[in-house]
């Protein structure tokens, strides 16, 4: 029942793209929160988590924290699942004041994706997980696009995956 409720909630959320409610947001604190929430779902004792936060990144950027939490949580959970209990997960931020962008990179040393999986990664309801809904990547991309950003994925079968989120940002 819980799984079904989660699926219905995700479908409902995806079916009604929200209006963004931008407020001063500390992206690095938001990423820490998402990392803690995701790690609580897994036995992460053999996973090395590396955080590299850009010190130049402003503590507050005008973003919708609630929507970005959904996107980052989906991406980080995917990374933990790909690791299968061991490996390395790296989260990095990079702020480019001149371009007005923030880049968030989520990299894992997990199983990676085949070409077919990569080509379908953003297809609605496509999943390789027994309990997956096939909505996580689509939701993440939708949230990033609502912010006017870009989400890119690179993956190497047997070697891991790198997800890059680039967001246009404005300091309050």
């Amino acid at each position: 029942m819980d799984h079904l409720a989660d699926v219905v909630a995700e479908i409902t959320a995806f079916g009604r793209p929200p209006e963004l409610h931008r407020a001063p947001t500390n992206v690095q604190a938001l990423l820490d929160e998402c990392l803690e929430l995701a790690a609580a779902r897994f036995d992460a004792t053999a996973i090395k988590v590396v955080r590299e936060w850009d010190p130049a990144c402003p503590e507050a950027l005008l973003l919708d924290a609630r929507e970005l939490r959904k996107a980052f949580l989906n991406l980080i959970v995917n990374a933990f699942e790909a690791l299968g209990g061991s490996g390395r997960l790296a989260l990095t931020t990079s702020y480019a004041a001149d371009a007005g962008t923030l880049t968030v990179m989520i990299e894992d040393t997990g199983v990676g994706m085949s070409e077919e999986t990569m080509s379908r990664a953003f297809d609605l309801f496509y999943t390789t997980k027994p309990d997956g809904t096939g909505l996580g990547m689509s939701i993440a991309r939708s949230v990033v696009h609502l912010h006017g950003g870009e989400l890119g994925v690179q993956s190497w079968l047997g070697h891991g995956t790198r997800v890059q989120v680039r967001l246009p940002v404005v300091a309050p």
Side-chain angles (χ1 to χ4, degrees):
M1 288 299 282
D2 289 339
H3 178 66
L4 185 56
D6 289 344
V7 171
V8 170
E10 285 186 12
I11 291 171
T12 303
F14 191 77
R16 273 184 285 122
E19 181 179 312
L20 292 181
H21 299 286
R22 294 177 187 264
T25 301
N26 183 321
V27 174
Q28 293 165 165
L30 180 65
L31 287 166
D32 280 332
E33 177 188 331
C34 292
L35 188 57
E36 286 178 36
L37 287 169
R41 295 177 53 183
F42 299 93
D43 176 11
T45 52
I47 295 175
K48 180 179 180 172
V49 176
V50 177
R51 295 176 179 100
E52 294 180 19
W53 303 148
D54 185 344
C57 185
E59 286 195 25
L61 296 168
L62 290 177
L63 299 165
D64 187 325
R66 191 179 116 239
E67 293 302 315
L68 282 175
R69 185 177 292 109
K70 284 191 263 184
F72 290 141
L73 190 55
N74 273 313
L75 297 172
I76 293 169
V77 164
N78 284 350
F80 271 109
E81 288 175 340
L83 288 167
S86 65
R88 181 178 187 269
L89 171 61
L91 279 83
T92 60
T93 61
S94 176
Y95 178 68
D98 55 335
T101 61
L102 171 72
T103 302
V104 175
M105 204 82 94
I106 302 167
E107 298 180 81
D108 67 69
T109 59
V111 295
M113 291 185 264
S114 68
E115 286 185 34
E116 179 191 355
T117 300
M118 276 289 296
S119 71
R120 301 193 61 199
F122 296 106
D123 290 357
L124 285 175
F125 307 113
Y126 176 76
T127 184
T128 58
K129 304 170 196 166
D131 293 330
T133 62
L135 293 171
M137 291 295 287
S138 296
I139 289 170
R141 183 171 67 177
S142 174
V143 167
V144 171
H145 284 178
L146 276 171
H147 279 83
E150 301 170 356
L151 187 149
V153 180
Q154 295 176 295
S155 190
W156 304 270
L157 195 57
H159 298 285
T161 300
R162 176 186 303 136
V163 177
Q164 177 177 301
V165 174
R166 182 172 290 130
L167 299 168
V169 293
V170 177

